[in-house]
Structure formats: structure tokens, C-alpha cells
Amino acid sequence: VLAAGLDVAVQQAALTRLAASGIGVITRVDAAYPDLLTERLPEERLPYYLFYRGDLDNLTQPGVALLGGAQPAEDALAQVSALASALADEGHLLVGGYDRGIDRQALDDARGAGAPITLVLPAGIETMEAVLQRLAPRGAVDRVLALSPYAPTVPYSDWLAAARMSLIGALAEVLVVVGRA
């Protein structure tokens, strides 16, 4: 306990630096921690903390996830665009990971139509800064929430990208998987 106490000041300084750049952290004991995660995920898959940037109100809304292949056919992209736009027009929240292909197309179309979106990142939140700046520049009033269960500077890996899919599924009330006809 005494050895851990020496690290508290370092960790507090890191959290202060993150907060200054608009990044916060919620833990399982915080009221903002998503109930859907605790209700739908087994203990071993439930993150102890989530780093976030953006609108935590997104966690109180039911979401729709449009998922599919990274290299979809043009007709699949057109169908996803139409569906994402229709969902956005009706005010639905879209949830995803911003993977190439179907997922990214749906989130880009929803964001372009002004719908709220929640991203579950495949790396640390600071690592994904370029993507976040494009979707929700700092200081912009928007309805974008980015979540990461990984430490802020953790680099992307295929394993982490796959691991976060359970979080996307748990946060969405509806999953639509777009496949080949």
C-alpha cells in the first residue's frame, strides 16, 4: 500500500493532463458507467474503467449498431447509407467501432446527418486522436462519444479491435449485420 501511494501523485497528474484535453475516465462505481455493460457482459469481460471524450448522455440512449465487412460491395454500402440516414433522421443513436467498411460508412453517414454516435475505440483514446478530431473537433458542440477500455496511449492491435466488439454489442439495443446477398 505504501509503495502504491508513491504513484498516486503521478497518476493524478496524468488524469489532470487528460482532463485538460477533454478526456475523462469513468469506473464501475461511477453513476455514468453504462448499465448495459454491467447487465450484459460477464465479469471477465467488464472493463474496470472507460476513458471517454464527448457526450456521456449518449450512454442513456438506446443504440443501433450497423456492422459488416471491411470491403463490402457497393450495393451493401448504398443500403447501409440509406439505413443510417433513415435512423439519423429519426434521431437514433448509432454505436460502432469505426472499422473500415460497413461500420465506418454507417457512422460517417449518421454523423453527417447530425445523429448522435458512440464509438468504442480499438486503442487508447490519445492514440485515436486524429479520428476523433475529424469526427468531433475539440470544443465543438456535438453528440459524439468516444469510449476506450484501454489506457490512453495503447497502440492499435487487431486483438484489441476484436476484443472491444463485445462492448459494442452490449451497448447496442439492436445489431444489424450486413452480409453478402
Side-chain angles (χ1 to χ4, degrees):
V1 171
L2 292 175
L6 299 175
D7 198 37
V8 170
V10 172
Q11 295 304 318
Q12 184 58 49
L15 290 173
T16 300
R17 180 186 60 76
L18 290 169
S21 65
I23 298 170
V25 64
I26 52 177
T27 68
R28 287 189 194 177
V29 298
D30 293 321
Y33 195 87
D35 290 336
L36 289 174
L37 294 183
T38 58
E39 293 166 5
R40 296 179 175 172
L41 293 177
E43 177 68 25
E44 63 271 8
R45 290 204 166 267
L46 194 60
Y48 287 103
Y49 58 83
L50 293 166
F51 287 91
Y52 73 91
R53 189 171 107 193
D55 193 348
L56 285 175
D57 287 342
N58 284 10
L59 295 176
T60 64
Q61 299 179 44
V64 177
L66 303 177
L67 305 173
Q71 297 178 352
E74 287 300 318
D75 61 330
L77 284 175
Q79 289 175 349
V80 165
S81 288
L83 181 55
S85 294
L87 290 168
D89 289 345
E90 293 179 12
H92 291 283
L93 167 80
L94 266 72
V95 178
Y98 211 64
D99 285 332
R100 290 183 309 269
I102 297 293
D103 184 22
R104 186 173 297 171
Q105 182 73 45
L107 292 169
D108 280 342
D109 288 340
R111 179 75 179 126
I117 63 171
T118 295
L119 307 169
V120 182
L121 302 173
I125 199 161
E126 288 183 309
T127 304
M128 301 296 294
E129 183 62 29
V131 170
L132 297 178
Q133 277 298 316
R134 192 171 82 238
L135 289 171
R138 281 194 200 132
V141 176
D142 53 43
R143 297 163 54 187
V144 174
L145 174 63
L147 298 171
S148 176
Y150 311 118
T153 58
V154 169
Y156 172 89
S157 79
D158 290 337
W159 188 89
L160 294 179
R164 55 86 194 250
M165 292 305 290
S166 63
L167 299 178
I168 293 169
L171 290 172
E173 293 290 330
V174 176
L175 291 172
V176 177
V177 179
V178 178
R180 295 181 186 230

